[in-house]
Amino acid sequence: MSKTGLCIGDKTARLPLIQGGMGVGISLSGLAGAVAREGGIGIISSAQIGFREPDFQEDAKKANLRAIKDELNKARKIARNADGSFDGLIGYNIMTASRDYGDYVRAAAQAGADVIISGAGMPVRMPEYVEGTDTKIAPIVSSERAAGIILKMWDKRYHRTADFLVIEGAHAGGHLGFSKEDLNHIYDDGFDKAYDLEIQKIISCTKAYGEKYHTGIPVIVAGGIMNSDQVQHVLSLGADGVQVATLFVTTKECDAALEFKQAYVNAQAEDIEIVISPVGMPARAIHNPFLERISRKKETITKCYRCLEKCSPQKAPYCITQALIRAAQGDIENGLFFCGDNARYLTEITTVPEVIQRLFP
């Protein structure tokens, strides 16, 4: 398979590959740096990125803003070859649903992130937060309608378009841009073929805005991609590259605890379920005692970390920050283990180079 690179404006990665952002604490500098070293685009998740900082409990936002810069610098050091160069890129995934979203995007851009990707909502004001920097930006969408709304708003309000765009399908992990009803039908005959048509519609919509601004807007497809055949299929639809997350969890370079990675290795098809996050969005996770408990009774929330804009401690069934931190630290009994649909196919701990070889032999 051709390993043609990915050009985003004046920035280039040797491989048409983005490593998907995973929070809390799953894709930090270790994983992102390793992917960039191999020529891909390594993505750090900003979600409660400062959870290891000594002042996180007292001022989570301050700790997160400091960690955004620190993790980016650490990732760059990891990515460099002996001569100081590397042929990948490093950026951030910052959820639109984050409280203080604009402050986090500004911090990542000012720190020098090559790219910023935003989903979990409509990042309609994203362009103003990176103004004056060289950071390239992309929305995550799951439908032609969503792509059209965002690109039209950016065109009308900011007189610009996306630098690239990520399409996230229904087989992805974490928060998803589909209804729970849709997610219950992804194995029906014809679902994936129908979504292939949706991907092509999104590509066509994006191309129209690229032509208006006399530029190319690379389109990246994500969700359930596990091997070179799937990569080739996505490229045959007209996409410019792929975003892969789940495969990178079970690598030695992934920033999560070994127990988190082992949960993926141990997961069977029946262990992976659709849950509703505290902000009402469907998400995919591995079944465990924590999910059993919160299905019966609301968890007592003693502290709000102000992570998500629409989350209310009085109404939320659990604190998503605490649940995801416990998972990242390897607490199998009490953590929330987000995953992609294809986690059930992972059977061993590998390395970033091995994953990339599997995708681009």
Side-chain angles (χ1 to χ4, degrees):
M1 180 187 295
S2 171
K3 298 183 181 181
T4 304
L6 181 60
C7 295
I8 301 174
D10 58 354
K11 298 178 184 290
T12 302
R14 180 169 55 82
L15 294 174
L17 169 69
I18 298 176
Q19 160 254 309
M22 297 171 283
V24 171
I26 310 305
S27 63
L28 297 173
S29 56
L31 178 56
V35 171
R37 185 175 60 233
E38 298 299 319
I41 302 179
I43 299 295
I44 303 167
S45 170
S46 72
Q48 301 297 48
I49 189 173
F51 76 98
R52 293 172 178 164
E53 297 292 306
D55 58 344
F56 179 74
Q57 295 295 326
E58 289 71 38
D59 191 338
K61 181 180 177 181
K62 181 180 179 181
N64 289 336
L65 290 172
R66 181 172 61 251
I68 283 174
K69 182 177 182 179
D70 291 346
E71 286 294 322
L72 184 63
N73 288 338
K74 286 191 284 187
R76 290 195 183 284
K77 290 180 180 178
I78 292 168
R80 289 191 186 103
N81 297 312
D83 62 358
S85 66
F86 62 94
D87 50 10
L89 301 173
I90 300 173
Y92 269 93
N93 178 293
I94 304 178
M95 293 192 302
T96 310
S98 302
R99 198 180 297 269
D100 301 314
Y101 169 74
D103 291 338
Y104 290 132
V105 174
R106 287 190 189 97
Q110 290 169 7
D114 292 312
V115 301
I116 297 176
I117 302 169
S118 285
M122 294 277 195
V124 294
R125 296 181 61 186
M126 194 180 184
E128 68 188 73
Y129 302 139
V130 300
E131 191 172 351
T133 74
D134 190 37
T135 298
K136 309 305 181 186
I137 57 174
I140 298 175
V141 302
S142 295
S143 67
E144 178 191 17
R145 178 177 178 274
I149 290 172
I150 295 169
L151 294 176
K152 183 178 181 179
M153 284 188 173
W154 287 12
D155 175 33
K156 184 177 181 180
R157 185 179 296 179
Y158 302 106
H159 308 293
R160 65 159 294 171
T161 192
D163 295 303
F164 63 113
L165 183 141
V166 177
I167 303 173
E168 191 170 86
H171 295 279
H175 290 103
L176 300 166
F178 295 82
S179 69
K180 190 171 183 180
E181 181 179 359
D182 286 339
L183 294 170
N184 287 331
H185 292 283
I186 62 174
Y187 295 111
D188 292 356
D189 288 344
F191 181 93
D192 287 337
K193 287 186 177 179
Y195 198 69
D196 282 353
L197 295 177
E198 188 73 14
I199 290 172
Q200 291 176 314
K201 290 178 182 178
I202 297 171
I203 292 172
S204 179
C205 172
T206 305
K207 184 177 180 181
Y209 281 92
E211 290 173 350
K212 178 175 181 177
Y213 283 91
H214 307 289
T215 187
I217 305 175
V219 175
I220 314 302
V221 173
I225 295 170
M226 299 285 288
N227 55 51
S228 60
D229 288 341
Q230 290 169 310
V231 172
Q232 189 60 52
H233 174 69
V234 164
L235 297 179
S236 74
L237 297 176
D240 300 282
V242 295
Q243 177 176 287
V244 176
T246 295
L247 266 182
F248 286 109
V249 170
T250 53
T251 61
K252 294 177 181 177
E253 296 91 342
C254 176
D255 298 274
L258 178 60
E259 292 85 353
F260 189 103
K261 303 172 189 183
Q262 199 61 45
Y264 274 49
V265 171
N266 295 339
Q268 303 298 313
E270 60 271 21
D271 298 320
I272 299 173
E273 61 183 272
I274 301 300
V275 300
I276 302 298
S277 86
V279 290
M281 296 180 68
R284 183 172 280 112
I286 297 174
H287 186 81
N288 68 345
F290 170 74
L291 290 180
E292 291 182 6
R293 287 200 308 275
I294 63 167
S295 70
R296 298 190 300 267
K297 183 181 179 182
K298 179 181 181 295
E299 183 180 68
T300 300
I301 299 176
T302 57
K303 177 179 174 58
C304 177
Y305 294 87
R306 298 177 57 80
C307 60
L308 299 177
E309 186 65 43
K310 296 181 180 180
C311 182
S312 167
Q314 291 74 35
K315 298 179 181 179
Y318 60 93
C319 173
I320 193 168
T321 284
Q322 291 180 333
L324 291 174
I325 288 174
R326 291 192 295 255
Q329 294 173 334
D331 187 342
I332 300 297
E333 299 289 317
N334 302 298
L336 174 61
F337 290 75
F338 279 159
C339 71
D341 183 49
N342 287 340
R344 56 189 165 148
Y345 297 120
L346 301 176
T347 59
E348 61 181 344
I349 305 298
T350 59
T351 66
V352 164
E354 288 173 331
V355 168
I356 291 176
Q357 180 63 27
R358 179 174 173 178
L359 297 168
F360 299 96

